[in-house]
Amino acid sequence: MSGKQVIYKPFEWERLRIASQFNAQLMDHLRSFVKAGISTEEINQIVHDYTVSHGHTPATLGYMGFPKSCCISINEVVCHGIPDETVLNEGDIVNVDITSIVDGWYGDQSETFLIGHVSEEARKLVQVTFDSLFLAINAIRPGSSVIEIGEVIYNYATELGYGVVRQYQGHGIGREFHTDPGIPHYPVSGSERDLLMPGMCFTIEPMLNAGTWKTVEDRSDGWTVRTKDNKLSAQFEHTILMTEEGPEILTLTEKGPQPGHQF
């Protein structure tokens, strides 16, 4: 985190939109490839080639030593999965998290994909995670406090029996990958003082687990995070710009799930 909240001026909003719209376009490009039989490394290569061929930069490549151009997290992996030779199988759920740098501006989003026919448990987890993201977006307005996001997601998810991951959160974004404010997905004391004012750009990216909220980082690679009980985890993420009229979702895709989608 940069240590201070950034308020972008209206003339900068278009730069945020352009970066985020490219990122959404990349997500749509990936859709037809994310299916049983493909390896996560092959998906990573598609992300890399598409981004670079358009003159842009994959933000995760080399970020704090991360070795790949996207994060791909399967089943019990919560986040920061490193693409490798692992092949997607029928019944998996897989989160693809992509961030692009376009002319010095960042766009960031993730989706959880259902690979073929998945269990009812997996489908419901993905649905609740998706719905929790849009409940949070719809709950905020100019001057809302960050804690309102955490309250909405936490109350909705825990009532349905899901664990809300606490170790990882959303964040301010724009000219930098991560800035203040942090956006926890559960109510954190102090986050009621962080107000979402017009010109602020940030991500909301709830991670919900089928069991405990607790997670474990893989010490062998320093990145991969799994649920502590090895139960399933799902995540959705959008980049949001707060305007005078309310939150504008910058990373909406044309071909992906829209608000209200049923998996």
Side-chain angles (χ1 to χ4, degrees), residues 20-27 31 95-99 107-111 203 236-239 250-253:
S20 295
Q21 283 160 8
F22 171 78
N23 207 64
Q25 180 184 319
L26 169 59
M27 187 69 83
R31 272 179 215 294
N95 180 269
V96 180
D97 191 339
I98 53 174
T99 309
D108 186 10
Q109 75 201 97
S110 83
E111 283 187 28
T203 71
F236 286 89
E237 172 185 16
H238 275 307
T239 296
L250 301 185
T251 42
L252 272 182
T253 58

mmCIF file with all atom_site columns, all heavy atoms in Angstrom, residues 20-27 31 95-99 107-111 203 236-239 250-253:
data_model
loop_
_atom_site.group_PDB
_atom_site.id
_atom_site.type_symbol
_atom_site.label_atom_id
_atom_site.label_alt_id
_atom_site.label_comp_id
_atom_site.label_asym_id
_atom_site.label_entity_id
_atom_site.label_seq_id
_atom_site.pdbx_PDB_ins_code
_atom_site.Cartn_x
_atom_site.Cartn_y
_atom_site.Cartn_z
_atom_site.occupancy
_atom_site.B_iso_or_equiv
_atom_site.pdbx_formal_charge
_atom_site.auth_seq_id
_atom_site.auth_comp_id
_atom_site.auth_asym_id
_atom_site.auth_atom_id
_atom_site.pdbx_PDB_model_num
ATOM 1   N N   . SER A 1 20  ? -8.762  -0.761  -17.795 1.00 0.00 ? 20  SER A N   1
ATOM 2   C CA  . SER A 1 20  ? -9.684  -1.786  -17.296 1.00 0.00 ? 20  SER A CA  1
ATOM 3   C C   . SER A 1 20  ? -10.440 -2.453  -18.436 1.00 0.00 ? 20  SER A C   1
ATOM 4   O O   . SER A 1 20  ? -10.693 -3.669  -18.404 1.00 0.00 ? 20  SER A O   1
ATOM 5   C CB  . SER A 1 20  ? -10.665 -1.166  -16.299 1.00 0.00 ? 20  SER A CB  1
ATOM 6   O OG  . SER A 1 20  ? -9.979  -0.711  -15.152 1.00 0.00 ? 20  SER A OG  1
ATOM 7   N N   . GLN A 1 21  ? -10.786 -1.685  -19.459 1.00 0.00 ? 21  GLN A N   1
ATOM 8   C CA  . GLN A 1 21  ? -11.519 -2.263  -20.588 1.00 0.00 ? 21  GLN A CA  1
ATOM 9   C C   . GLN A 1 21  ? -10.641 -3.218  -21.387 1.00 0.00 ? 21  GLN A C   1
ATOM 10  O O   . GLN A 1 21  ? -11.116 -4.244  -21.880 1.00 0.00 ? 21  GLN A O   1
ATOM 11  C CB  . GLN A 1 21  ? -12.097 -1.158  -21.464 1.00 0.00 ? 21  GLN A CB  1
ATOM 12  C CG  . GLN A 1 21  ? -13.343 -0.537  -20.831 1.00 0.00 ? 21  GLN A CG  1
ATOM 13  C CD  . GLN A 1 21  ? -13.697 0.843   -21.381 1.00 0.00 ? 21  GLN A CD  1
ATOM 14  O OE1 . GLN A 1 21  ? -13.111 1.314   -22.355 1.00 0.00 ? 21  GLN A OE1 1
ATOM 15  N NE2 . GLN A 1 21  ? -14.645 1.493   -20.734 1.00 0.00 ? 21  GLN A NE2 1
ATOM 16  N N   . PHE A 1 22  ? -9.338  -2.891  -21.493 1.00 0.00 ? 22  PHE A N   1
ATOM 17  C CA  . PHE A 1 22  ? -8.449  -3.856  -22.143 1.00 0.00 ? 22  PHE A CA  1
ATOM 18  C C   . PHE A 1 22  ? -8.400  -5.145  -21.327 1.00 0.00 ? 22  PHE A C   1
ATOM 19  O O   . PHE A 1 22  ? -8.430  -6.255  -21.871 1.00 0.00 ? 22  PHE A O   1
ATOM 20  C CB  . PHE A 1 22  ? -7.021  -3.312  -22.316 1.00 0.00 ? 22  PHE A CB  1
ATOM 21  C CG  . PHE A 1 22  ? -6.084  -4.394  -22.774 1.00 0.00 ? 22  PHE A CG  1
ATOM 22  C CD1 . PHE A 1 22  ? -6.086  -4.794  -24.093 1.00 0.00 ? 22  PHE A CD1 1
ATOM 23  C CD2 . PHE A 1 22  ? -5.263  -5.061  -21.870 1.00 0.00 ? 22  PHE A CD2 1
ATOM 24  C CE1 . PHE A 1 22  ? -5.272  -5.847  -24.524 1.00 0.00 ? 22  PHE A CE1 1
ATOM 25  C CE2 . PHE A 1 22  ? -4.448  -6.111  -22.285 1.00 0.00 ? 22  PHE A CE2 1
ATOM 26  C CZ  . PHE A 1 22  ? -4.457  -6.490  -23.615 1.00 0.00 ? 22  PHE A CZ  1
ATOM 27  N N   . ASN A 1 23  ? -8.310  -5.008  -19.999 1.00 0.00 ? 23  ASN A N   1
ATOM 28  C CA  . ASN A 1 23  ? -8.243  -6.185  -19.138 1.00 0.00 ? 23  ASN A CA  1
ATOM 29  C C   . ASN A 1 23  ? -9.490  -7.054  -19.293 1.00 0.00 ? 23  ASN A C   1
ATOM 30  O O   . ASN A 1 23  ? -9.409  -8.287  -19.354 1.00 0.00 ? 23  ASN A O   1
ATOM 31  C CB  . ASN A 1 23  ? -8.069  -5.749  -17.685 1.00 0.00 ? 23  ASN A CB  1
ATOM 32  C CG  . ASN A 1 23  ? -7.358  -6.780  -16.840 1.00 0.00 ? 23  ASN A CG  1
ATOM 33  O OD1 . ASN A 1 23  ? -6.200  -7.089  -17.068 1.00 0.00 ? 23  ASN A OD1 1
ATOM 34  N ND2 . ASN A 1 23  ? -8.049  -7.316  -15.854 1.00 0.00 ? 23  ASN A ND2 1
ATOM 35  N N   . ALA A 1 24  ? -10.651 -6.405  -19.396 1.00 0.00 ? 24  ALA A N   1
ATOM 36  C CA  . ALA A 1 24  ? -11.909 -7.138  -19.601 1.00 0.00 ? 24  ALA A CA  1
ATOM 37  C C   . ALA A 1 24  ? -11.918 -7.832  -20.964 1.00 0.00 ? 24  ALA A C   1
ATOM 38  O O   . ALA A 1 24  ? -12.409 -8.966  -21.103 1.00 0.00 ? 24  ALA A O   1
ATOM 39  C CB  . ALA A 1 24  ? -13.086 -6.182  -19.472 1.00 0.00 ? 24  ALA A CB  1
ATOM 40  N N   . GLN A 1 25  ? -11.368 -7.160  -21.957 1.00 0.00 ? 25  GLN A N   1
ATOM 41  C CA  . GLN A 1 25  ? -11.270 -7.731  -23.305 1.00 0.00 ? 25  GLN A CA  1
ATOM 42  C C   . GLN A 1 25  ? -10.378 -8.980  -23.278 1.00 0.00 ? 25  GLN A C   1
ATOM 43  O O   . GLN A 1 25  ? -10.677 -10.004 -23.916 1.00 0.00 ? 25  GLN A O   1
ATOM 44  C CB  . GLN A 1 25  ? -10.664 -6.660  -24.211 1.00 0.00 ? 25  GLN A CB  1
ATOM 45  C CG  . GLN A 1 25  ? -10.449 -6.987  -25.656 1.00 0.00 ? 25  GLN A CG  1
ATOM 46  C CD  . GLN A 1 25  ? -9.741  -5.817  -26.357 1.00 0.00 ? 25  GLN A CD  1
ATOM 47  O OE1 . GLN A 1 25  ? -10.049 -4.647  -26.124 1.00 0.00 ? 25  GLN A OE1 1
ATOM 48  N NE2 . GLN A 1 25  ? -8.775  -6.125  -27.195 1.00 0.00 ? 25  GLN A NE2 1
ATOM 49  N N   . LEU A 1 26  ? -9.295  -8.917  -22.507 1.00 0.00 ? 26  LEU A N   1
ATOM 50  C CA  . LEU A 1 26  ? -8.418  -10.072 -22.331 1.00 0.00 ? 26  LEU A CA  1
ATOM 51  C C   . LEU A 1 26  ? -9.168  -11.223 -21.674 1.00 0.00 ? 26  LEU A C   1
ATOM 52  O O   . LEU A 1 26  ? -9.043  -12.386 -22.095 1.00 0.00 ? 26  LEU A O   1
ATOM 53  C CB  . LEU A 1 26  ? -7.200  -9.663  -21.496 1.00 0.00 ? 26  LEU A CB  1
ATOM 54  C CG  . LEU A 1 26  ? -6.290  -10.772 -20.973 1.00 0.00 ? 26  LEU A CG  1
ATOM 55  C CD1 . LEU A 1 26  ? -5.707  -11.603 -22.099 1.00 0.00 ? 26  LEU A CD1 1
ATOM 56  C CD2 . LEU A 1 26  ? -5.168  -10.172 -20.116 1.00 0.00 ? 26  LEU A CD2 1
ATOM 57  N N   . MET A 1 27  ? -9.963  -10.932 -20.651 1.00 0.00 ? 27  MET A N   1
ATOM 58  C CA  . MET A 1 27  ? -10.740 -11.986 -19.990 1.00 0.00 ? 27  MET A CA  1
ATOM 59  C C   . MET A 1 27  ? -11.697 -12.649 -20.976 1.00 0.00 ? 27  MET A C   1
ATOM 60  O O   . MET A 1 27  ? -11.835 -13.886 -21.000 1.00 0.00 ? 27  MET A O   1
ATOM 61  C CB  . MET A 1 27  ? -11.497 -11.412 -18.793 1.00 0.00 ? 27  MET A CB  1
ATOM 62  C CG  . MET A 1 27  ? -12.204 -12.461 -17.951 1.00 0.00 ? 27  MET A CG  1
ATOM 63  S SD  . MET A 1 27  ? -11.080 -13.553 -17.023 1.00 0.00 ? 27  MET A SD  1
ATOM 64  C CE  . MET A 1 27  ? -10.746 -12.550 -15.571 1.00 0.00 ? 27  MET A CE  1
ATOM 65  N N   . ARG A 1 31  ? -11.898 -16.877 -22.499 1.00 0.00 ? 31  ARG A N   1
ATOM 66  C CA  . ARG A 1 31  ? -13.041 -17.741 -22.169 1.00 0.00 ? 31  ARG A CA  1
ATOM 67  C C   . ARG A 1 31  ? -13.057 -19.084 -22.876 1.00 0.00 ? 31  ARG A C   1
ATOM 68  O O   . ARG A 1 31  ? -13.279 -20.118 -22.258 1.00 0.00 ? 31  ARG A O   1
ATOM 69  C CB  . ARG A 1 31  ? -14.361 -17.026 -22.531 1.00 0.00 ? 31  ARG A CB  1
ATOM 70  C CG  . ARG A 1 31  ? -14.850 -16.203 -21.430 1.00 0.00 ? 31  ARG A CG  1
ATOM 71  C CD  . ARG A 1 31  ? -16.128 -15.450 -21.729 1.00 0.00 ? 31  ARG A CD  1
ATOM 72  N NE  . ARG A 1 31  ? -15.938 -14.236 -21.013 1.00 0.00 ? 31  ARG A NE  1
ATOM 73  C CZ  . ARG A 1 31  ? -15.873 -14.182 -19.685 1.00 0.00 ? 31  ARG A CZ  1
ATOM 74  N NH1 . ARG A 1 31  ? -16.094 -15.239 -18.961 1.00 0.00 ? 31  ARG A NH1 1
ATOM 75  N NH2 . ARG A 1 31  ? -15.624 -13.051 -19.088 1.00 0.00 ? 31  ARG A NH2 1
ATOM 76  N N   . ASN A 1 95  ? -10.084 -20.134 -10.682 1.00 0.00 ? 95  ASN A N   1
ATOM 77  C CA  . ASN A 1 95  ? -10.071 -18.677 -10.730 1.00 0.00 ? 95  ASN A CA  1
ATOM 78  C C   . ASN A 1 95  ? -8.903  -18.209 -11.574 1.00 0.00 ? 95  ASN A C   1
ATOM 79  O O   . ASN A 1 95  ? -7.768  -18.639 -11.371 1.00 0.00 ? 95  ASN A O   1
ATOM 80  C CB  . ASN A 1 95  ? -9.961  -18.086 -9.323  1.00 0.00 ? 95  ASN A CB  1
ATOM 81  C CG  . ASN A 1 95  ? -9.941  -16.563 -9.353  1.00 0.00 ? 95  ASN A CG  1
ATOM 82  O OD1 . ASN A 1 95  ? -8.885  -15.944 -9.414  1.00 0.00 ? 95  ASN A OD1 1
ATOM 83  N ND2 . ASN A 1 95  ? -11.114 -15.966 -9.329  1.00 0.00 ? 95  ASN A ND2 1
ATOM 84  N N   . VAL A 1 96  ? -9.204  -17.333 -12.539 1.00 0.00 ? 96  VAL A N   1
ATOM 85  C CA  . VAL A 1 96  ? -8.171  -16.703 -13.359 1.00 0.00 ? 96  VAL A CA  1
ATOM 86  C C   . VAL A 1 96  ? -8.155  -15.224 -12.996 1.00 0.00 ? 96  VAL A C   1
ATOM 87  O O   . VAL A 1 96  ? -9.161  -14.529 -13.146 1.00 0.00 ? 96  VAL A O   1
ATOM 88  C CB  . VAL A 1 96  ? -8.448  -16.904 -14.856 1.00 0.00 ? 96  VAL A CB  1
ATOM 89  C CG1 . VAL A 1 96  ? -7.353  -16.239 -15.686 1.00 0.00 ? 96  VAL A CG1 1
ATOM 90  C CG2 . VAL A 1 96  ? -8.536  -18.388 -15.191 1.00 0.00 ? 96  VAL A CG2 1
ATOM 91  N N   . ASP A 1 97  ? -7.010  -14.763 -12.498 1.00 0.00 ? 97  ASP A N   1
ATOM 92  C CA  . ASP A 1 97  ? -6.850  -13.395 -12.013 1.00 0.00 ? 97  ASP A CA  1
ATOM 93  C C   . ASP A 1 97  ? -5.844  -12.698 -12.918 1.00 0.00 ? 97  ASP A C   1
ATOM 94  O O   . ASP A 1 97  ? -4.680  -13.103 -12.994 1.00 0.00 ? 97  ASP A O   1
ATOM 95  C CB  . ASP A 1 97  ? -6.349  -13.423 -10.561 1.00 0.00 ? 97  ASP A CB  1
ATOM 96  C CG  . ASP A 1 97  ? -6.396  -12.061 -9.870  1.00 0.00 ? 97  ASP A CG  1
ATOM 97  O OD1 . ASP A 1 97  ? -6.426  -11.031 -10.580 1.00 0.00 ? 97  ASP A OD1 1
ATOM 98  O OD2 . ASP A 1 97  ? -6.392  -12.032 -8.634  1.00 0.00 ? 97  ASP A OD2 1
ATOM 99  N N   . ILE A 1 98  ? -6.301  -11.661 -13.628 1.00 0.00 ? 98  ILE A N   1
ATOM 100 C CA  . ILE A 1 98  ? -5.443  -10.980 -14.596 1.00 0.00 ? 98  ILE A CA  1
ATOM 101 C C   . ILE A 1 98  ? -5.391  -9.487  -14.293 1.00 0.00 ? 98  ILE A C   1
ATOM 102 O O   . ILE A 1 98  ? -6.386  -8.877  -13.902 1.00 0.00 ? 98  ILE A O   1
ATOM 103 C CB  . ILE A 1 98  ? -5.929  -11.200 -16.049 1.00 0.00 ? 98  ILE A CB  1
ATOM 104 C CG1 . ILE A 1 98  ? -7.414  -10.837 -16.210 1.00 0.00 ? 98  ILE A CG1 1
ATOM 105 C CG2 . ILE A 1 98  ? -5.691  -12.645 -16.483 1.00 0.00 ? 98  ILE A CG2 1
ATOM 106 C CD1 . ILE A 1 98  ? -7.931  -10.894 -17.639 1.00 0.00 ? 98  ILE A CD1 1
ATOM 107 N N   . THR A 1 99  ? -4.211  -8.920  -14.476 1.00 0.00 ? 99  THR A N   1
ATOM 108 C CA  . THR A 1 99  ? -4.005  -7.482  -14.295 1.00 0.00 ? 99  THR A CA  1
ATOM 109 C C   . THR A 1 99  ? -3.131  -6.988  -15.433 1.00 0.00 ? 99  THR A C   1
ATOM 110 O O   . THR A 1 99  ? -2.086  -7.578  -15.710 1.00 0.00 ? 99  THR A O   1
ATOM 111 C CB  . THR A 1 99  ? -3.322  -7.184  -12.953 1.00 0.00 ? 99  THR A CB  1
ATOM 112 O OG1 . THR A 1 99  ? -4.025  -7.841  -11.905 1.00 0.00 ? 99  THR A OG1 1
ATOM 113 C CG2 . THR A 1 99  ? -3.287  -5.687  -12.679 1.00 0.00 ? 99  THR A CG2 1
ATOM 114 N N   . GLY A 1 107 ? -5.479  -2.176  -14.776 1.00 0.00 ? 107 GLY A N   1
ATOM 115 C CA  . GLY A 1 107 ? -6.829  -2.750  -14.703 1.00 0.00 ? 107 GLY A CA  1
ATOM 116 C C   . GLY A 1 107 ? -6.708  -4.146  -14.128 1.00 0.00 ? 107 GLY A C   1
ATOM 117 O O   . GLY A 1 107 ? -5.778  -4.887  -14.472 1.00 0.00 ? 107 GLY A O   1
ATOM 118 N N   . ASP A 1 108 ? -7.632  -4.553  -13.246 1.00 0.00 ? 108 ASP A N   1
ATOM 119 C CA  . ASP A 1 108 ? -7.468  -5.779  -12.459 1.00 0.00 ? 108 ASP A CA  1
ATOM 120 C C   . ASP A 1 108 ? -8.824  -6.448  -12.267 1.00 0.00 ? 108 ASP A C   1
ATOM 121 O O   . ASP A 1 108 ? -9.803  -5.789  -11.888 1.00 0.00 ? 108 ASP A O   1
ATOM 122 C CB  . ASP A 1 108 ? -6.854  -5.386  -11.107 1.00 0.00 ? 108 ASP A CB  1
ATOM 123 C CG  . ASP A 1 108 ? -6.491  -6.555  -10.221 1.00 0.00 ? 108 ASP A CG  1
ATOM 124 O OD1 . ASP A 1 108 ? -6.526  -7.705  -10.678 1.00 0.00 ? 108 ASP A OD1 1
ATOM 125 O OD2 . ASP A 1 108 ? -6.162  -6.304  -9.042  1.00 0.00 ? 108 ASP A OD2 1
ATOM 126 N N   . GLN A 1 109 ? -8.881  -7.755  -12.532 1.00 0.00 ? 109 GLN A N   1
ATOM 127 C CA  . GLN A 1 109 ? -10.137 -8.484  -12.287 1.00 0.00 ? 109 GLN A CA  1
ATOM 128 C C   . GLN A 1 109 ? -9.862  -9.980  -12.216 1.00 0.00 ? 109 GLN A C   1
ATOM 129 O O   . GLN A 1 109 ? -8.811  -10.460 -12.644 1.00 0.00 ? 109 GLN A O   1
ATOM 130 C CB  . GLN A 1 109 ? -11.156 -8.214  -13.390 1.00 0.00 ? 109 GLN A CB  1
ATOM 131 C CG  . GLN A 1 109 ? -10.881 -8.920  -14.709 1.00 0.00 ? 109 GLN A CG  1
ATOM 132 C CD  . GLN A 1 109 ? -11.577 -8.261  -15.875 1.00 0.00 ? 109 GLN A CD  1
ATOM 133 O OE1 . GLN A 1 109 ? -10.957 -7.471  -16.581 1.00 0.00 ? 109 GLN A OE1 1
ATOM 134 N NE2 . GLN A 1 109 ? -12.836 -8.579  -16.087 1.00 0.00 ? 109 GLN A NE2 1
ATOM 135 N N   . SER A 1 110 ? -10.827 -10.708 -11.682 1.00 0.00 ? 110 SER A N   1
ATOM 136 C CA  . SER A 1 110 ? -10.742 -12.169 -11.726 1.00 0.00 ? 110 SER A CA  1
ATOM 137 C C   . SER A 1 110 ? -12.138 -12.765 -11.824 1.00 0.00 ? 110 SER A C   1
ATOM 138 O O   . SER A 1 110 ? -13.132 -12.137 -11.456 1.00 0.00 ? 110 SER A O   1
ATOM 139 C CB  . SER A 1 110 ? -10.007 -12.717 -10.495 1.00 0.00 ? 110 SER A CB  1
ATOM 140 O OG  . SER A 1 110 ? -10.867 -12.850 -9.390  1.00 0.00 ? 110 SER A OG  1
ATOM 141 N N   . GLU A 1 111 ? -12.167 -13.974 -12.367 1.00 0.00 ? 111 GLU A N   1
ATOM 142 C CA  . GLU A 1 111 ? -13.412 -14.750 -12.456 1.00 0.00 ? 111 GLU A CA  1
ATOM 143 C C   . GLU A 1 111 ? -13.118 -16.185 -12.067 1.00 0.00 ? 111 GLU A C   1
ATOM 144 O O   . GLU A 1 111 ? -12.025 -16.697 -12.324 1.00 0.00 ? 111 GLU A O   1
ATOM 145 C CB  . GLU A 1 111 ? -13.967 -14.769 -13.889 1.00 0.00 ? 111 GLU A CB  1
ATOM 146 C CG  . GLU A 1 111 ? -14.666 -13.521 -14.329 1.00 0.00 ? 111 GLU A CG  1
ATOM 147 C CD  . GLU A 1 111 ? -15.325 -13.701 -15.702 1.00 0.00 ? 111 GLU A CD  1
ATOM 148 O OE1 . GLU A 1 111 ? -15.697 -14.843 -16.056 1.00 0.00 ? 111 GLU A OE1 1
ATOM 149 O OE2 . GLU A 1 111 ? -15.445 -12.698 -16.417 1.00 0.00 ? 111 GLU A OE2 1
ATOM 150 N N   . THR A 1 203 ? -10.380 -2.114  -6.005  1.00 0.00 ? 203 THR A N   1
ATOM 151 C CA  . THR A 1 203 ? -10.947 -3.419  -6.334  1.00 0.00 ? 203 THR A CA  1
ATOM 152 C C   . THR A 1 203 ? -11.779 -3.941  -5.170  1.00 0.00 ? 203 THR A C   1
ATOM 153 O O   . THR A 1 203 ? -11.482 -3.673  -4.003  1.00 0.00 ? 203 THR A O   1
ATOM 154 C CB  . THR A 1 203 ? -9.859  -4.454  -6.667  1.00 0.00 ? 203 THR A CB  1
ATOM 155 O OG1 . THR A 1 203 ? -9.150  -4.797  -5.471  1.00 0.00 ? 203 THR A OG1 1
ATOM 156 C CG2 . THR A 1 203 ? -8.901  -3.945  -7.723  1.00 0.00 ? 203 THR A CG2 1
ATOM 157 N N   . PHE A 1 236 ? -14.321 -13.654 -7.120  1.00 0.00 ? 236 PHE A N   1
ATOM 158 C CA  . PHE A 1 236 ? -14.600 -12.759 -8.254  1.00 0.00 ? 236 PHE A CA  1
ATOM 159 C C   . PHE A 1 236 ? -14.061 -11.380 -7.885  1.00 0.00 ? 236 PHE A C   1
ATOM 160 O O   . PHE A 1 236 ? -14.086 -10.988 -6.716  1.00 0.00 ? 236 PHE A O   1
ATOM 161 C CB  . PHE A 1 236 ? -16.095 -12.670 -8.556  1.00 0.00 ? 236 PHE A CB  1
ATOM 162 C CG  . PHE A 1 236 ? -16.634 -13.897 -9.233  1.00 0.00 ? 236 PHE A CG  1
ATOM 163 C CD1 . PHE A 1 236 ? -17.118 -14.962 -8.491  1.00 0.00 ? 236 PHE A CD1 1
ATOM 164 C CD2 . PHE A 1 236 ? -16.642 -13.993 -10.619 1.00 0.00 ? 236 PHE A CD2 1
ATOM 165 C CE1 . PHE A 1 236 ? -17.605 -16.112 -9.104  1.00 0.00 ? 236 PHE A CE1 1
ATOM 166 C CE2 . PHE A 1 236 ? -17.127 -15.131 -11.247 1.00 0.00 ? 236 PHE A CE2 1
ATOM 167 C CZ  . PHE A 1 236 ? -17.617 -16.200 -10.488 1.00 0.00 ? 236 PHE A CZ  1
ATOM 168 N N   . GLU A 1 237 ? -13.621 -10.646 -8.912  1.00 0.00 ? 237 GLU A N   1
ATOM 169 C CA  . GLU A 1 237 ? -13.029 -9.327  -8.672  1.00 0.00 ? 237 GLU A CA  1
ATOM 170 C C   . GLU A 1 237 ? -13.372 -8.379  -9.811  1.00 0.00 ? 237 GLU A C   1
ATOM 171 O O   . GLU A 1 237 ? -13.328 -8.760  -10.983 1.00 0.00 ? 237 GLU A O   1
ATOM 172 C CB  . GLU A 1 237 ? -11.510 -9.458  -8.577  1.00 0.00 ? 237 GLU A CB  1
ATOM 173 C CG  . GLU A 1 237 ? -10.763 -8.129  -8.518  1.00 0.00 ? 237 GLU A CG  1
ATOM 174 C CD  . GLU A 1 237 ? -9.250  -8.294  -8.544  1.00 0.00 ? 237 GLU A CD  1
ATOM 175 O OE1 . GLU A 1 237 ? -8.767  -9.388  -8.907  1.00 0.00 ? 237 GLU A OE1 1
ATOM 176 O OE2 . GLU A 1 237 ? -8.550  -7.319  -8.202  1.00 0.00 ? 237 GLU A OE2 1
ATOM 177 N N   . HIS A 1 238 ? -13.686 -7.152  -9.446  1.00 0.00 ? 238 HIS A N   1
ATOM 178 C CA  . HIS A 1 238 ? -13.808 -6.066  -10.423 1.00 0.00 ? 238 HIS A CA  1
ATOM 179 C C   . HIS A 1 238 ? -13.047 -4.845  -9.930  1.00 0.00 ? 238 HIS A C   1
ATOM 180 O O   . HIS A 1 238 ? -12.852 -4.657  -8.723  1.00 0.00 ? 238 HIS A O   1
ATOM 181 C CB  . HIS A 1 238 ? -15.274 -5.663  -10.635 1.00 0.00 ? 238 HIS A CB  1
ATOM 182 C CG  . HIS A 1 238 ? -15.983 -6.505  -11.654 1.00 0.00 ? 238 HIS A CG  1
ATOM 183 N ND1 . HIS A 1 238 ? -15.495 -6.717  -12.929 1.00 0.00 ? 238 HIS A ND1 1
ATOM 184 C CD2 . HIS A 1 238 ? -17.181 -7.171  -11.590 1.00 0.00 ? 238 HIS A CD2 1
ATOM 185 C CE1 . HIS A 1 238 ? -16.353 -7.472  -13.607 1.00 0.00 ? 238 HIS A CE1 1
ATOM 186 N NE2 . HIS A 1 238 ? -17.368 -7.774  -12.820 1.00 0.00 ? 238 HIS A NE2 1
ATOM 187 N N   . THR A 1 239 ? -12.596 -4.036  -10.894 1.00 0.00 ? 239 THR A N   1
ATOM 188 C CA  . THR A 1 239 ? -12.057 -2.714  -10.589 1.00 0.00 ? 239 THR A CA  1
ATOM 189 C C   . THR A 1 239 ? -13.205 -1.712  -10.644 1.00 0.00 ? 239 THR A C   1
ATOM 190 O O   . THR A 1 239 ? -13.986 -1.704  -11.604 1.00 0.00 ? 239 THR A O   1
ATOM 191 C CB  . THR A 1 239 ? -10.959 -2.319  -11.598 1.00 0.00 ? 239 THR A CB  1
ATOM 192 O OG1 . THR A 1 239 ? -9.857  -3.226  -11.461 1.00 0.00 ? 239 THR A OG1 1
ATOM 193 C CG2 . THR A 1 239 ? -10.475 -0.897  -11.356 1.00 0.00 ? 239 THR A CG2 1
ATOM 194 N N   . LEU A 1 250 ? -15.462 -0.848  -13.925 1.00 0.00 ? 250 LEU A N   1
ATOM 195 C CA  . LEU A 1 250 ? -14.618 -0.585  -15.092 1.00 0.00 ? 250 LEU A CA  1
ATOM 196 C C   . LEU A 1 250 ? -14.263 -1.846  -15.858 1.00 0.00 ? 250 LEU A C   1
ATOM 197 O O   . LEU A 1 250 ? -13.873 -1.765  -17.026 1.00 0.00 ? 250 LEU A O   1
ATOM 198 C CB  . LEU A 1 250 ? -13.332 0.123   -14.657 1.00 0.00 ? 250 LEU A CB  1
ATOM 199 C CG  . LEU A 1 250 ? -13.477 1.461   -13.938 1.00 0.00 ? 250 LEU A CG  1
ATOM 200 C CD1 . LEU A 1 250 ? -12.100 2.070   -13.698 1.00 0.00 ? 250 LEU A CD1 1
ATOM 201 C CD2 . LEU A 1 250 ? -14.347 2.428   -14.730 1.00 0.00 ? 250 LEU A CD2 1
ATOM 202 N N   . THR A 1 251 ? -14.375 -3.016  -15.219 1.00 0.00 ? 251 THR A N   1
ATOM 203 C CA  . THR A 1 251 ? -13.890 -4.253  -15.828 1.00 0.00 ? 251 THR A CA  1
ATOM 204 C C   . THR A 1 251 ? -15.026 -5.196  -16.253 1.00 0.00 ? 251 THR A C   1
ATOM 205 O O   . THR A 1 251 ? -14.812 -6.402  -16.387 1.00 0.00 ? 251 THR A O   1
ATOM 206 C CB  . THR A 1 251 ? -12.934 -4.984  -14.860 1.00 0.00 ? 251 THR A CB  1
ATOM 207 O OG1 . THR A 1 251 ? -13.459 -4.925  -13.532 1.00 0.00 ? 251 THR A OG1 1
ATOM 208 C CG2 . THR A 1 251 ? -11.555 -4.356  -14.873 1.00 0.00 ? 251 THR A CG2 1
ATOM 209 N N   . LEU A 1 252 ? -16.210 -4.658  -16.486 1.00 0.00 ? 252 LEU A N   1
ATOM 210 C CA  . LEU A 1 252 ? -17.298 -5.513  -16.977 1.00 0.00 ? 252 LEU A CA  1
ATOM 211 C C   . LEU A 1 252 ? -16.920 -6.077  -18.342 1.00 0.00 ? 252 LEU A C   1
ATOM 212 O O   . LEU A 1 252 ? -16.444 -5.354  -19.224 1.00 0.00 ? 252 LEU A O   1
ATOM 213 C CB  . LEU A 1 252 ? -18.602 -4.723  -17.096 1.00 0.00 ? 252 LEU A CB  1
ATOM 214 C CG  . LEU A 1 252 ? -19.495 -4.635  -15.869 1.00 0.00 ? 252 LEU A CG  1
ATOM 215 C CD1 . LEU A 1 252 ? -20.759 -3.838  -16.211 1.00 0.00 ? 252 LEU A CD1 1
ATOM 216 C CD2 . LEU A 1 252 ? -19.882 -6.013  -15.335 1.00 0.00 ? 252 LEU A CD2 1
ATOM 217 N N   . THR A 1 253 ? -17.157 -7.363  -18.517 1.00 0.00 ? 253 THR A N   1
ATOM 218 C CA  . THR A 1 253 ? -16.878 -8.010  -19.796 1.00 0.00 ? 253 THR A CA  1
ATOM 219 C C   . THR A 1 253 ? -18.136 -8.012  -20.673 1.00 0.00 ? 253 THR A C   1
ATOM 220 O O   . THR A 1 253 ? -19.259 -7.867  -20.180 1.00 0.00 ? 253 THR A O   1
ATOM 221 C CB  . THR A 1 253 ? -16.412 -9.457  -19.582 1.00 0.00 ? 253 THR A CB  1
ATOM 222 O OG1 . THR A 1 253 ? -17.427 -10.161 -18.856 1.00 0.00 ? 253 THR A OG1 1
ATOM 223 C CG2 . THR A 1 253 ? -15.112 -9.509  -18.803 1.00 0.00 ? 253 THR A CG2 1
#
